[in-house]
């Protein structure tokens, strides 16, 4: 009887110690980060380094616009410590999937705080006399299928991508405060590389003649890039790969390409490029190569990381547009 109470205390102590060592072991495991598509996967890996293990739902060279989630995606999300998505309604399927998975953890919305481009202003820019503002809005919802009123493709700007890194950094620190200094250092380095690439190539874009600044791509994924470097994009599919132009819209595009003198036409690594091939044949516009829009290439190919992808896109555009 004399020993009962001390023994109880001792046992409680043992349990506490066991619990603590299990926790310590757990914190040596990498943080499980799940991103919705391959571009965010690379960013999360770059900033998270060896403290994270990143899984992506939509893989390299896959089209996130028309992605069909698999049952395993829900299980992957359920086990995540951090989820990173683009926001601006880029992946219409994400909310439903997260709800189904029961995931309650931290969500990084990569585009939070970026300088957004509205779809209405881009439409008005392409066809100045076509509609008033109210109509532009309806027009967007009819054609964008899964997109909101803002263009979601902000990763195509090396300046906006630095905001992606800021948001990611905040999320990582929240979930793993012990890694704060490590993440901050890596994020800073990464942002400096983005800024350097941007500054190095901007002067060449600035030097382009005014009549060599209009290009065509299959879907409207390059609005932020165009804004950053003073280009104009003509895109038959609009902002989503899920929509297709009617015959009369195609005829209008042929006229538009001829009248506005598109300097070059580009393919993309995702989606259906037949429309653009057809328009290229009909108008005789120059073929400028392949741009990476909404997905990285495989590691072995030319755009296996975000920085490689942007370098490739910008160099490909410049080599077609420079006189
Ligand atoms: Zn897209």
């Amino acid at each position: 009887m004399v020993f009962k109470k001390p023994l109880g205390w001792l046992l409680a102590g043992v349990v506490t110690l066991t619990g603590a060592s299990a926790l310590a072991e757990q914190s040596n495991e990498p943080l499980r980060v799940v991103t919705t598509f391959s571009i965010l996967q690379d960013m999360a890996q770059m900033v998270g380094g060896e403290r994270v293990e990143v899984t992506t739902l939509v893989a390299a060279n896959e089209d996130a616009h028309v992605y069909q989630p698999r049952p395993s995606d829900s299980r992957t999300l359920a086990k995540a410590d951090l989820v990173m998505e683009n926001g601006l309604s880029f992946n219409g399927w994400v909310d439903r999937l997260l709800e189904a998975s029961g995931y309650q953890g931290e969500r990084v919305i990569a585009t939070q705080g970026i300088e957004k481009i509205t779809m209405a202003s881009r439409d008005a820019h392409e066809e100045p006399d076509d509609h008033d503002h109210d109509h532009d809005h309806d027009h967007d919802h009819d054609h964008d299928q899964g997109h909101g009123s803002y263009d979601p493709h902000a990763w195509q700007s090396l300046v906006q991508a630095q905001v992606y890194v800021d948001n990611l950094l905040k999320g990582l620190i929240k979930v793993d405060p012990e890694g704060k200094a490590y993440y901050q250092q890596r994020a800073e380095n990464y942002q400096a590389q983005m800024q350097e690439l941007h500054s190095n190539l901007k002067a060449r874009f600035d030097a382009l003649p005014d009549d060599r600044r209009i290009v065509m791509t299959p879907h409207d994924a390059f609005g932020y890039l165009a804004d950053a470097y003073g280009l104009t994009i003509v895109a038959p599919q609009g902002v989503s790969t899920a929509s297709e132009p009617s015959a009369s819209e195609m005829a209008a595009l042929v006229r538009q390409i001829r009248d506005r003198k598109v300097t070059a036409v580009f393919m993309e690594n995702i989606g259906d490029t037949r429309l653009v091939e057809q328009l290229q044949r009909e108008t005789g516009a120059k073929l400028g190569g392949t741009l990476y829009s909404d997905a990285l290439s495989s590691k072995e190919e030319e755009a296996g990381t975000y920085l490689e992808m942007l370098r490739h896109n910008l160099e490909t555009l410049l080599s077609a547009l420079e006189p």
Side-chain angles (χ1 to χ4, degrees):
M1 290 305 260
V2 171
F3 292 109
K4 194 174 180 184
K5 204 171 176 185
L7 194 64
W9 279 98
L10 190 64
L11 277 173
V14 170
V15 170
T16 309
L17 272 175
T18 312
S21 73
L23 258 179
E25 218 166 90
Q26 220 168 32
S27 71
N28 287 333
E29 299 268 306
L31 211 65
R32 279 166 301 201
V33 178
V34 178
T35 64
T36 48
F37 64 115
S38 57
I39 293 161
L40 301 187
Q41 179 186 26
D42 181 51
M43 290 182 176
Q45 194 63 65
M46 284 298 287
V47 178
E50 55 194 23
R51 293 184 78 89
V52 301
E53 185 181 278
V54 190
T55 310
T56 185
L57 302 181
V58 184
N61 284 322
E62 271 186 32
D63 185 349
H65 287 290
V66 293
Y67 182 70
Q68 301 283 339
R70 298 157 299 194
S72 64
D73 291 342
S74 186
R75 293 195 293 275
T76 304
L77 285 169
K79 283 185 278 182
D81 299 309
L82 181 77
V83 171
M84 182 185 190
E85 62 183 296
N86 188 68
L88 301 182
S89 309
F90 177 54
N91 304 124
W93 41 267
V94 172
D95 285 346
R96 282 191 306 276
L97 191 61
L98 275 167
E99 201 173 316
S101 75
Y103 177 74
Q104 298 285 332
E106 183 68 14
R107 271 173 86 169
V108 172
I109 312 289
T111 49
Q112 208 153 40
I114 65 152
E115 284 169 42
K116 295 185 286 237
I117 297 177
T118 64
M119 296 316 305
S121 73
R122 282 189 54 72
D123 273 2
H125 186 60
E126 303 291 355
E127 296 165 45
D129 304 317
D130 212 10
H131 317 275
D132 60 29
H133 263 278
D134 290 348
H135 274 98
D136 273 341
H137 220 78
D138 293 340
H139 177 86
D140 292 334
H141 282 284
D142 288 342
H143 287 265
D144 292 347
Q145 297 191 18
H147 281 96
S149 329
Y150 293 109
D151 182 346
H153 303 89
W155 60 85
Q156 291 292 348
S157 157
L158 285 159
V159 176
Q160 302 308 323
Q162 294 174 51
V163 181
Y164 279 47
V165 174
D166 282 335
N167 289 322
L168 171 63
L169 177 64
K170 272 183 226 155
L172 285 169
I173 292 173
K174 216 165 171 181
V175 177
D176 178 22
E178 282 181 20
K180 185 175 175 180
Y182 178 80
Y183 296 134
Q184 270 174 338
Q185 181 64 51
R186 294 183 67 93
E188 243 171 67
N189 285 345
Y190 194 30
Q191 286 170 324
Q193 289 179 62
M194 290 174 176
Q195 187 60 38
E196 193 189 356
L197 181 58
H198 170 67
S199 307
N200 286 349
L201 294 177
K202 188 162 190 326
R204 285 170 65 192
F205 280 101
D206 287 347
L208 289 174
D210 284 347
D211 63 351
R212 297 184 67 87
R213 289 177 173 274
I214 304 175
V215 302
M216 188 168 76
T217 61
H219 93 288
D220 201 355
F222 300 95
Y224 288 87
L225 187 155
D227 261 27
Y229 302 107
L231 306 180
T232 297
I233 310 285
V234 181
Q237 282 183 298
V239 78
S240 171
T241 58
S243 59
E244 277 195 19
S246 65
S248 67
E249 283 172 325
M250 280 295 275
L253 276 162
V254 169
R255 277 198 308 277
Q256 203 186 0
I257 292 163
R258 287 182 177 144
D259 293 351
R260 301 185 69 179
K261 300 189 170 51
V262 167
T263 306
V265 165
F266 295 86
M267 297 299 140
E268 285 177 43
N269 66 320
I270 59 151
D272 188 347
T273 60
R274 281 176 299 182
L275 279 170
V276 162
E277 283 161 352
Q278 185 188 336
L279 285 164
Q280 191 273 328
R281 280 196 304 274
E282 282 181 40
T283 59
K286 172 181 168 184
L287 265 175
T290 297
L291 302 177
Y292 291 83
S293 44
D294 298 7
L296 301 179
S297 70
S298 70
K299 288 279 175 239
E300 298 74 39
E301 294 170 290
E302 60 205 350
T305 70
Y306 171 73
L307 285 172
E308 280 172 11
M309 165 181 155
L310 263 285
R311 180 182 296 281
H312 169 87
N313 285 351
L314 296 173
E315 294 277 9
T316 301
L317 282 161
L318 281 168
S319 62
L321 298 179
E322 280 178 333

